[in-house]
Amino acid sequence: MSYPGYPPTGYPPFPGYPPAGQESTFPPPGQYPYPSGFPPVGGGAYPPAPSSGYPGVGGYPAPSGYPAPGGYPGATPPGGVPSYPGVPPGPGFGAPPGAAGFSGYPQPPSQPYGGGPAQVPLPGGFPAGQYPGGQGPYPSQINTESFPSYPVFSPVSLDYNTEPAAVTQGAQGTIQPAANFDAMKDAEILRKAMKGFGTDEQAIVNVVANRSNDQRQKIKAAFKTMYGKDLIKDLKSELSGNMEELILALFMPPTYYDAWSLRNAMKGAGTQERVLIEILCTRTNQEIREIVRCYQSEFGRDLEKDIRSDTSGHFERLLVSMCQGNRDENQNVNHQLAQEDAQRLYQAGEGRLGTDESCFNMILATRSFPQLKATMEAYSRVANRDLLSSVAREFSGNVESGLKTILQCALNRPAFFAERLYYSMKGAGTDDSTLVRTVVTRSEIDLVQIKQMFQQMYQKALSTMIASDTSGDYRRLLLAIVGQ
């Protein structure tokens, strides 16, 4: 059974987040009205994601060779042959054993977890010192308009026979702190760009696209100190539409932006479930806990209570589990536990009449992402089909989307976000809020890898698709962030 949306020959592994030097810092004491003791973000870091393939929406084809869990304790060194319980040694990666697996799925080289990020060449060549970097602090509330809801995805067909371009390993964003940064000078440039008749949007783009989020917070503070005016209010008065939304998103601290997006997804009539899934099912424990605190301090509301009032059933339970921020983040893999979990999941779904949803929720909400990847491999041997297709058979609607998102991130997080970007622009119209949110939130974490996965999955550059779907200053700023 074939599943659309699969990349040609699998996704490359990548080491743990965050890249060295991207740790967040606090603003000076008293600069922002955050409660004392608010924990720093871990650079927007995600737990290391294992190597392996990543499908498109609609499920995964079943694998044939089992990827080596490179870097796990007791694992074979890169280039060697992995050893799994009950699986005889084989000739190497990609050689299909006799058991069921991700059929015909070539295996990428092994990559140890937790290794330092390798250098990823940036397409087109960014100027030295101009791009990737860490995330910033989380200050006060910014009032903007609500974002529209997430689109419904449809599968995309890929050419399975096309060899993907080589992808250099590492975790890297496209924006890093600017060298020789001067907040007062940047504030003056922005003031001149908005003063008088008309607005110099290009000057705004040049500053905003080449500063880290932490540096943008310092520019905001310097602007108010120098001119006694609020930079965000001035920008809102000068800009409009998608350009305004993108600029304001860039000036929101990362934790606040996630909390703000969740609030807007549940505010008013209807709920944007895709936004809830995208944020709560992909962030780290630390990030989720900070989002919960920020949501309370900035909006005076309890995130879990809002989730309970806006969702129901097994979807509600999954999101409540996610917002606890208690997932195991130990990067070591217990293969015996993976085998046991695979058997439990089979007995809770395919192996019985009906579905024990609580078993799926328990395992997918508590196990680390590397552990879940090993469980998916074991499951394919136990059930003779891959876990994603079983989830599609046993669940439907939002809870299916949430469970699949967790499993997809366990396989390859950059590929998950590449798919989000693709479907935000595919077809008639553009889901600009999804495009903005994904580009902004990943710009200092793994947008370089997302671009590489996008190229492999859809045989076109992300910048090319953005250029054809957007226009004006909005397009210029997006392209400046993404990189040509």
Side-chain angles (χ1 to χ4, degrees):
M1 180 175 184
S2 66
Y3 295 87
Y6 239 74
T9 58
Y11 296 162
F14 53 99
Y17 294 95
Q22 291 194 13
E23 295 79 11
S24 300
T25 56
F26 269 119
Q31 183 173 335
Y32 300 112
Y34 249 75
S36 61
F38 196 80
V41 78
Y46 283 98
S51 63
S52 182
Y54 171 84
V57 169
Y60 292 63
S64 66
Y66 308 138
Y72 298 149
T76 312
V81 182
S83 174
Y84 289 100
V87 179
F93 296 130
F102 301 153
S103 58
Y105 196 72
Q107 301 306 313
S110 165
Q111 178 81 11
Y113 279 95
Q119 294 302 312
V120 179
L122 304 179
F126 293 135
Q130 186 171 343
Y131 290 96
Q135 297 199 17
Y138 337 166
S140 60
Q141 177 176 353
I142 304 167
N143 295 317
T144 61
E145 294 129 350
S146 297
F147 283 7
S149 60
Y150 214 95
V152 177
F153 298 155
S154 59
V156 60
S157 296
L158 297 176
D159 179 3
Y160 297 160
N161 297 319
T162 303
E163 287 294 325
V167 178
T168 307
Q169 305 307 320
Q172 196 170 357
T174 56
I175 292 182
Q176 70 177 12
N180 304 315
F181 171 66
D182 186 335
M184 296 183 72
K185 181 178 179 181
D186 286 345
E188 184 178 2
I189 292 171
L190 294 178
R191 172 66 174 155
K192 288 179 179 177
M194 295 183 286
K195 190 177 179 180
F197 182 75
T199 305
D200 185 355
E201 286 88 356
Q202 187 59 53
I204 297 174
V205 168
N206 291 342
V207 170
V208 174
N210 297 305
R211 305 293 183 269
S212 68
N213 190 280
D214 179 58
Q215 290 175 334
R216 293 184 207 115
Q217 307 313 316
K218 291 179 171 64
I219 294 171
K220 275 197 315 190
F223 192 93
K224 183 169 285 189
T225 300
M226 294 167 68
Y227 304 110
K229 301 181 69 177
D230 187 278
L231 174 60
I232 302 305
K233 288 182 179 178
D234 276 13
L235 288 169
K236 283 175 65 67
S237 68
E238 296 290 331
L239 305 170
S240 62
N242 294 325
M243 180 64 169
E244 176 189 356
E245 183 174 323
L246 177 56
I247 286 283
L248 296 183
L250 287 165
F251 273 100
M252 290 186 196
T255 297
Y256 177 84
Y257 186 32
D258 278 346
W260 181 90
S261 297
L262 290 171
R263 178 68 192 125
N264 278 276
M266 294 183 282
K267 188 170 65 177
T271 304
Q272 299 169 34
E273 291 87 359
R274 289 282 182 182
V275 178
L276 304 184
I277 292 169
E278 177 194 315
I279 294 174
L280 293 175
C281 293
T282 65
R283 303 312 194 237
T284 65
N285 289 345
Q286 183 178 349
E287 288 171 328
I288 288 173
R289 291 169 187 167
E290 289 164 357
I291 289 167
V292 169
R293 294 188 189 188
C294 180
Y295 194 91
Q296 176 68 53
S297 65
E298 293 295 324
F299 307 111
R301 304 179 67 91
D302 184 274
L303 177 58
E304 183 179 325
K305 287 182 180 178
D306 279 0
I307 288 171
R308 290 185 183 279
S309 66
D310 271 58
T311 60
S312 61
H314 298 294
F315 181 54
E316 172 195 332
R317 295 171 198 171
L318 178 64
L319 293 185
V320 169
S321 294
M322 292 296 99
C323 74
Q324 304 310 305
N326 285 328
R327 180 182 298 282
D328 177 20
E329 292 186 335
N330 182 354
Q331 299 307 300
N332 298 331
V333 172
N334 183 330
H335 290 285
Q336 181 178 349
L337 177 61
Q339 185 69 29
E340 293 170 358
D341 282 348
Q343 190 66 45
R344 289 191 193 103
L345 292 171
Y346 178 74
Q347 294 299 332
E350 298 281 4
R352 58 174 286 172
L353 184 64
T355 307
D356 180 1
E357 293 87 356
S358 63
C359 179
F360 280 83
N361 192 99
M362 184 276 289
I363 293 175
L364 270 65
T366 61
R367 304 296 190 246
S368 70
F369 285 117
Q371 184 69 37
L372 283 176
K373 177 177 176 290
T375 300
M376 294 175 75
E377 294 159 1
Y379 185 91
S380 68
R381 300 191 289 273
V382 170
N384 202 31
R385 74 168 70 245
D386 69 277
L387 183 53
L388 273 154
S389 64
S390 289
V391 167
R393 288 160 61 93
E394 299 292 326
F395 296 88
S396 62
N398 293 317
V399 66
E400 177 192 350
S401 297
L403 293 173
K404 281 185 174 181
T405 295
I406 294 169
L407 294 174
Q408 289 165 348
C409 285
L411 290 175
N412 190 312
R413 198 185 314 269
F416 169 80
F417 285 107
E419 184 186 64
R420 285 292 189 264
L421 288 169
Y422 179 79
Y423 284 105
S424 73
M425 295 178 282
K426 183 178 181 290
T430 302
D431 178 8
D432 292 288
S433 287
T434 296
L435 175 59
V436 166
R437 187 174 57 252
T438 307
V439 167
V440 170
T441 58
R442 312 312 298 180
S443 63
E444 298 182 43
I445 301 174
D446 57 357
L447 190 51
V448 167
Q449 292 161 306
I450 291 170
K451 288 166 58 179
Q452 293 171 326
M453 294 316 311
F454 193 97
Q455 178 73 48
Q456 289 193 28
M457 293 165 69
Y458 307 111
Q459 287 78 56
K460 66 171 68 177
L462 174 59
S463 58
T464 300
M465 196 163 184
I466 288 175
S468 65
D469 264 60
T470 59
S471 61
D473 298 312
Y474 175 52
R475 173 169 60 189
R476 280 201 292 273
L477 180 51
L478 279 174
L479 292 177
I481 297 168
V482 169
Q484 298 293 336

